[in-house]
Amino acid sequence: MSHDLFEAARGAMAFAHAPYSKFPVGAAIRAEDGKIYTGANIENLSFPQGWCAEPTAISHMIMAGAKKIVEMAVIAEKLPLCPPCGGCRQKIAEFADKGTRIYLCDETGVKKTMTMDEMLPFSFETEVLG
């Protein structure tokens, strides 16, 4: 089941706009509606004011009416098994739960699977704070 997310993330990475960092990243989410939503990092001249691939994918998911991340894949062209940055981890946690699987990929496929709890232990919890 994770292979289609890997393919979608890799495809999204091709749309990255990374002229400053030269570090293309792609992300793909499977939401509770069963659909896959993708994103790529998008930089601008006011570096680092661009946005990462993960919130781009989250934005597509939210704008389509879905609200929950079931699983997610992340791939970077120049860093195998590139994990989401700290800010993105909190953004993902907003729409995921502790058991949500995050797949870290290289150019050949999924190489490591982590849960959100492993990725962001002792995090703010939406149901407690919200």
Side-chain angles (χ1 to χ4, degrees):
M1 191 151 123
S2 61
H3 186 74
D4 60 344
L5 280 179
F6 158 69
E7 292 289 345
R10 187 171 61 179
M13 184 172 61
F15 291 97
H17 177 73
Y20 309 106
S21 72
K22 310 283 193 268
F23 191 78
V25 180
I29 292 168
R30 186 182 325 279
E32 84 277 6
D33 63 3
K35 295 180 182 172
I36 294 176
Y37 300 95
T38 61
N41 55 323
I42 304 168
E43 298 173 352
N44 66 58
L45 187 56
S46 183
F47 191 72
Q49 293 302 310
W51 49 95
C52 297
E54 297 90 340
T56 304
I58 290 168
S59 297
H60 285 145
M61 177 187 79
I62 295 299
M63 293 307 294
K67 301 286 187 214
K68 181 154 177 60
I69 299 170
V70 174
E71 54 186 351
M72 182 175 209
V74 179
I75 185 171
E77 185 177 277
K78 297 180 179 179
L79 180 63
L81 284 67
C82 179
C85 72
C88 285
R89 292 176 195 205
Q90 189 61 53
K91 289 175 179 85
I92 296 164
E94 182 75 15
F95 302 100
D97 59 39
K98 291 178 183 281
T100 299
R101 293 175 310 280
I102 309 297
Y103 305 115
L104 306 182
C105 307
D106 69 8
E107 70 279 356
T108 65
V110 174
K111 296 299 175 191
K112 185 171 182 68
T113 301
M114 300 183 73
T115 65
M116 268 314 294
D117 196 42
E118 292 170 324
M119 182 89 44
L120 188 63
F122 200 61
S123 65
F124 284 147
E125 297 180 17
T126 305
E127 60 274 7
V128 174
L129 296 179

